[in-house]
Amino acid sequence: MKISSYVPEGFIPLDNSAIIYPPTEARFNANTFRVSMDLDVPVDTVLLSQALDEVLDRLPYFKVALHEGFFWYYLTPCDAPVRVFPESSYPCGRLDRKGTGGYLFKVFCSERRIAIEFFHALTDGTGGMVFLKMLVGRYLQLAFGTDAQCPDVPRLSDAVEPDEFSDPFQGLYDPEVSSTPNEKSAFHLSSDKPLTDAVRVISGTISACELKKLAKAAGATVTEYLAAVLIDAIRRLQADRVPRRRFRKTVGLSIPVNLRNVFGARTMRNFTLFATVGIEPSHGEYSLDEIVSIVHHQLKLKVERRALISQMKRNVGGERSRFLRFVPNIVKRPLFKLLSDSLGDDLYSSVLSNLGMIDIPQSMAAFVRRCDFFLSPSKLNKISCAVIGFKDDIMVNFTSFLADDAEVERLFFTDLVRRGLHVKIQTNRTVGTVGKERA
Amino acid sequence: MPYCVQCGVELPPDASVCPLCGTSVLLPPDSHSAGTEGSRAAESEPMFPVPVASDGRNRWGLDKKRKGALELLFGLSFVALAVLGFSLVPSGADWFVPMSSVVAGTLYGAVLLAFPFSYRWIATGWISISFLFIGMLGVHLGGYGWTILTCSALALGWILLVLPYFLPVRKRPLVLTIQFPTILAFLSLVDYRSSGSSWFLPVALPVACLIVLSFSVLALRIRIFRYGDFPMADFILSFGCIACLAVGTGEVLAVRHATGVWAFGWSGPLWIAASALAVFLGAVGLSRRVRRYFTSQTRHS
């Protein structure tokens, strides 16, 4: 099945969330994310390539390339052969579109791991995970004859439905709603040393049961609790680096909200908005319990249907504005970079994205040892946090441009350890580079 | 399985330091291979198994494209030098200026290709090449006066425009303490090299001291400002006031130096503007204090 059957015009406009990603893409703003599954068995690359071809036939929306038009970026169907790449040392780097044949994703394979990195203009974490589940499921079916059909994933034999690549933002746009107000600029981590685009990872594995118990005792969900712990870690770091309280800035976190759960769409494209939660350290000291409560209530207010529609009004309204529509892309690019900073990255100190517990059938789970999720950091917010749950574990993956500073990660994980959680750490950081800052 | 004694987190079996705090992991020599837990962990997929992959850069940090462009640049430069050498040297014409210009041009291009693509490195490279080129030109032509002044101006430009980007923001005061004496030293050098009566001590030095004093007062005002962030309007107006005051003082001192009479020349309006701005800023500060006094919730406590 080809996507050109569904797009007679020959091009697909980017969805509303995706518009901001291509013009702001840069070495230190890769706008990529990665999902991966570690298997218990070695991966056969030939079978994986076959599975990839079959999955892409079922998901034609992913067989697209990005182009820059006179007014907007757009997608067109792409028929280049898809390659499987060997695993790299540093995840979530800038996607080399020439190397992928124009595709906006890259499939990696190591001895026992299948991973996919996506450019965010193509899809969001949920869409990416559907792709990965289909790919791993089909691979296991080809390799071991396992029936690995996930409940929330389309069947390979089913016909493609146009809903799978619709842009639901356009249908939810209400011009009568007032736009969401802008927020204050937040604290950003700074570094005396030059940044490195080789993204450093620190991954913590925590028992899901224990973490859920702790979050429940604090009256919050796992996302809210982890967000509160991360806010508290950044708050303590700021208190250490900015001794005078009145000069301290807002510590905010951007939490992507999966709108499929709120509005019920089935699209594989971006259908996410960002809820910003945070505290004002200049107002006084906060305990973790207070932060948990603040995050819980702020998130409740921001994930409310009307608040989300108001945020959509601002985003889609911008896209539909006559001024922006007829401004050439060459002018839009720097304008979007400014907008992305002032209405996006500048308003929060980091990003925390939780994909939730990954649900796969037992026949497939028998082969899968671990799932991972990583987000690319940005130049302003040099640390990102991605959370994913699988079986009895929750993986909290920090990605960072700071090669020799893991202070936020240290404060975050040691706080969880102090609260009685068992945390297992893994990293791709070079031995001996961490801790110099503190020493 | 090793644990970090500082952070309390479990580390990978082969870890030698904690990635969070840098504390060394101390284990008995045979403990890495011992135990079923360790064996199981070793079988599992490590975080990122491939050792740090080469990104196609050679030992000088150049990738293939840049290396090719550099080779082309040096090749073209070599051809140009050969052509110039064969045509100019036998004829007895001055070969130094055209040939050193080709070398300097090549080096400018090489800096762009070989240095990290950042303002501070490229500016440093270009300023160094210009320094070297002008110095050699001075030696060749025998005129040291303009060479010293131009090289000093290049050094001053580097200190003013590039040095701040090599130091972290928190070291800005250090940068200013380097920049200010350098400007004064450059002005005194210009004064020393110029003919006529000396203007450095009677004009330039008092104006410089006035500027430093004014900015110190402004910095102190920002430091002790208690009503949130210092307003940008106040900062711009203060800056304008200092500029008017400095130019006006310079003009009065220059008139005094030239004629021996204390008098305003064309700087009268500047003095009026500086006074008006100072009065306005003082009034705004006072009104802010008064308003704060009558609206403060804690003044009775």
Side-chain angles (χ1 to χ4, degrees):
Chain A
M1 192 68 66
K2 287 188 173 179
I3 193 159
S4 44
S5 331
Y6 298 91
V7 282
E9 302 89 355
F11 73 92
I12 311 158
L14 291 176
D15 59 73
N16 180 255
S17 272
I19 282 173
I20 200 74
Y21 295 120
T24 56
E25 189 223 7
R27 185 178 162 208
F28 287 109
N29 204 18
N31 293 330
T32 55
F33 66 91
R34 169 191 168 113
V35 282
S36 67
M37 283 190 186
D38 287 10
L39 305 185
D40 272 326
V41 287
V43 179
D44 182 338
T45 323
V46 178
L47 284 182
L48 181 64
S49 298
Q50 189 187 334
L52 181 59
D53 287 336
E54 290 179 24
V55 168
L56 279 173
D57 278 347
R58 174 59 187 79
L59 300 177
Y61 167 65
F62 288 90
K63 291 189 83 171
V64 289
L66 181 73
H67 300 276
E68 186 180 0
F70 187 74
F71 291 111
W72 296 101
Y73 284 89
Y74 62 95
L75 303 170
T76 56
C78 179
D79 282 328
V82 192
R83 277 181 58 200
V84 174
F85 293 82
E87 175 71 306
S88 65
S89 298
Y90 302 106
C92 291
R94 197 176 182 184
L95 192 81
D96 169 26
R97 296 210 296 273
K98 277 186 189 163
T100 58
Y103 290 109
L104 300 179
F105 65 88
K106 201 170 176 180
V107 177
F108 291 97
C109 166
S110 67
E111 198 193 338
R112 288 163 194 261
R113 177 179 300 148
I114 299 171
I116 315 178
E117 280 186 14
F118 293 93
F119 184 46
H120 228 315
L122 184 68
T123 184
D124 57 12
T126 309
M129 187 43 87
V130 168
F131 189 166
L132 180 70
K133 280 181 185 174
M134 280 186 81
L135 179 63
V136 174
R138 183 60 188 154
Y139 170 77
L140 291 175
Q141 207 171 8
L142 288 174
F144 304 101
T146 320
D147 177 26
Q149 179 58 44
C150 300
D152 52 347
V153 164
R155 284 183 172 276
L156 278 179
S157 53
D158 288 353
V160 181
E161 290 183 36
D163 276 3
E164 290 173 11
F165 48 90
S166 62
D167 178 9
F169 283 111
Q170 305 299 335
L172 291 164
Y173 172 68
D174 181 355
E176 294 303 313
V177 176
S178 66
S179 287
T180 186
N182 290 339
E183 290 168 39
K184 278 175 75 178
S185 160
F187 168 73
H188 300 289
L189 291 172
S190 59
S191 172
D192 291 348
K193 299 193 178 143
L195 302 182
T196 164
D197 60 345
V199 174
R200 303 305 207 269
V201 172
I202 290 186
S203 171
T205 308
I206 305 163
S207 158
C209 274
E210 287 177 29
L211 185 59
K212 278 179 187 167
K213 215 182 283 174
L214 203 62
K216 201 175 174 186
T221 62
V222 168
T223 310
E224 288 163 359
Y225 190 77
L226 290 175
V229 176
L230 183 53
I231 288 174
D232 193 37
I234 300 173
R235 178 192 70 82
R236 284 186 281 155
L237 187 81
Q238 186 182 198
D240 190 36
R241 294 187 181 174
V242 185
R244 294 193 67 184
R245 206 177 71 196
R246 72 188 179 94
F247 292 129
R248 291 179 198 159
K249 298 181 86 175
T250 308
V251 175
L253 271 194
S254 174
I255 301 178
V257 181
N258 184 4
L259 299 179
R260 292 170 188 85
N261 298 338
V262 184
F263 297 101
R266 294 176 53 209
T267 183
M268 299 254 207
R269 303 172 77 173
N270 284 289
F271 195 37
T272 310
L273 282 180
F274 294 86
T276 311
V277 294
I279 55 166
E280 277 293 344
S282 62
H283 290 180
E285 296 300 324
Y286 292 82
S287 68
L288 182 66
D289 288 340
E290 286 170 333
I291 300 175
V292 171
S293 167
I294 289 168
V295 169
H296 174 72
H297 289 104
Q298 284 182 347
L299 212 54
K300 271 270 180 299
L301 287 172
K302 298 209 170 169
V303 178
E304 202 265 328
R305 194 183 166 91
R306 277 161 293 207
L308 292 169
I309 289 180
S310 163
Q311 203 178 338
M312 269 181 226
K313 157 75 180 16
R314 188 189 69 183
N315 299 351
V316 182
E319 182 191 343
R320 292 187 180 192
S321 116
R322 283 201 185 114
F323 169 71
L324 270 185
R325 274 164 64 189
F326 297 108
V327 167
N329 218 357
I330 198 164
V331 181
K332 269 192 201 120
R333 276 201 316 245
L335 191 70
F336 275 22
K337 277 185 184 173
L338 284 175
L339 282 177
S340 162
D341 278 354
S342 59
L343 299 178
D345 281 5
D346 195 31
L347 307 182
Y348 44 84
S349 313
S350 185
V351 181
L352 184 138
S353 180
N354 187 356
L355 261 190
M357 293 301 286
I358 299 305
D359 184 21
I360 53 174
Q362 192 53 46
S363 55
M364 195 173 156
F367 289 94
V368 181
R369 185 196 297 267
R370 174 187 166 110
C371 289
D372 272 301
F373 174 40
F374 300 93
L375 288 174
S376 64
S378 69
K379 193 162 191 176
L380 212 52
N381 296 315
K382 297 162 193 79
I383 293 179
S384 292
C385 178
V387 183
I388 191 170
F390 182 63
K391 289 184 180 170
D392 299 329
D393 290 328
I394 285 179
M395 274 64 73
V396 182
N397 294 329
F398 281 95
T399 39
S400 168
F401 281 147
L402 306 171
D404 45 13
D405 183 1
E407 194 60 7
V408 170
E409 291 95 322
R410 188 184 71 81
L411 290 169
F412 179 88
F413 286 122
T414 48
D415 198 6
L416 291 180
V417 169
R418 212 174 296 123
R419 283 165 207 285
L421 291 182
H422 177 261
V423 179
K424 186 179 175 186
I425 296 291
Q426 284 176 284
T427 184
N428 68 346
R429 285 179 183 260
T430 320
V431 172
T433 56
V434 185
K436 281 181 186 169
E437 192 82 0
R438 297 177 62 237
Chain B
M1 48 189 168
Y3 280 81
C4 173
V5 291
Q6 289 285 339
C7 306
V9 294
E10 187 191 330
L11 302 171
D14 55 347
S16 56
V17 294
C18 170
L20 297 176
C21 65
T23 305
S24 298
V25 177
L26 300 172
L27 280 175
D30 57 340
S31 63
H32 282 309
S33 54
T36 49
E37 193 68 34
S39 317
R40 191 179 179 280
E43 275 171 24
S44 72
E45 188 78 352
M47 193 72 208
F48 288 96
V50 185
V52 180
S54 162
D55 57 356
R57 290 167 185 245
N58 64 9
R59 60 189 167 139
W60 293 291
L62 293 174
D63 58 23
K64 212 174 169 183
K65 263 187 198 170
R66 283 189 173 202
K67 191 168 162 270
L70 264 177
E71 283 168 358
L72 181 69
L73 183 72
F74 283 125
L76 288 174
S77 166
F78 181 75
V79 171
L81 285 174
V83 170
L84 278 173
F86 278 116
S87 58
L88 292 177
V89 174
S91 66
D94 182 16
W95 55 268
F96 182 82
V97 176
M99 286 181 78
S100 58
S101 302
V102 170
V103 173
T106 309
L107 291 176
Y108 283 130
V111 163
L112 209 56
L113 290 166
F115 276 37
F117 199 76
S118 72
Y119 163 73
R120 56 183 187 168
W121 286 111
I122 290 173
T124 304
W126 282 359
I127 287 175
S128 310
I129 293 164
S130 307
F131 196 91
L132 199 71
F133 177 61
I134 288 168
M136 283 167 61
L137 212 58
V139 171
H140 176 70
L141 299 175
Y144 292 105
W146 69 271
T147 313
I148 290 170
L149 277 182
T150 316
C151 288
S152 312
L154 283 171
L156 178 70
W158 186 84
I159 287 170
L160 292 183
L161 303 173
V162 186
L163 178 67
Y165 293 92
F166 277 101
L167 295 169
V169 176
R170 63 187 157 80
K171 291 197 174 165
R172 281 284 153 83
L174 174 72
V175 174
L176 288 172
T177 51
I178 296 171
Q179 285 175 338
F180 179 66
T182 316
I183 295 169
L184 285 183
F186 179 71
L187 288 176
S188 67
L189 181 72
V190 174
D191 181 36
Y192 175 72
R193 299 289 312 171
S194 59
S195 54
S197 62
S198 169
W199 46 262
F200 178 71
L201 283 177
V203 181
L205 194 60
V207 172
C209 292
L210 179 75
I211 291 172
V212 170
L213 191 70
S214 310
F215 274 111
S216 306
V217 171
L218 179 61
L220 189 69
R221 199 164 161 240
I222 293 171
R223 184 87 185 155
I224 62 172
F225 191 75
R226 286 183 300 173
Y227 315 117
D229 291 340
F230 192 74
M232 185 52 79
D234 279 29
F235 182 79
I236 292 169
L237 292 177
S238 306
F239 197 84
C241 179
I242 294 170
C244 291
L245 198 65
V247 177
T249 310
E251 200 266 347
V252 169
L253 290 173
V255 170
R256 158 88 180 148
H257 176 62
T259 62
V261 182
W262 289 103
F264 292 115
W266 46 262
S267 66
L270 288 179
W271 282 99
I272 293 168
S275 316
L277 282 172
V279 169
F280 177 74
L281 286 167
V284 168
L286 189 66
S287 75
R288 200 178 280 135
R289 268 171 186 275
V290 170
R291 202 168 59 238
R292 176 80 177 178
Y293 178 78
F294 284 109
T295 55
S296 170
Q297 298 295 317
T298 55
R299 69 195 164 90
H300 299 296
S301 62

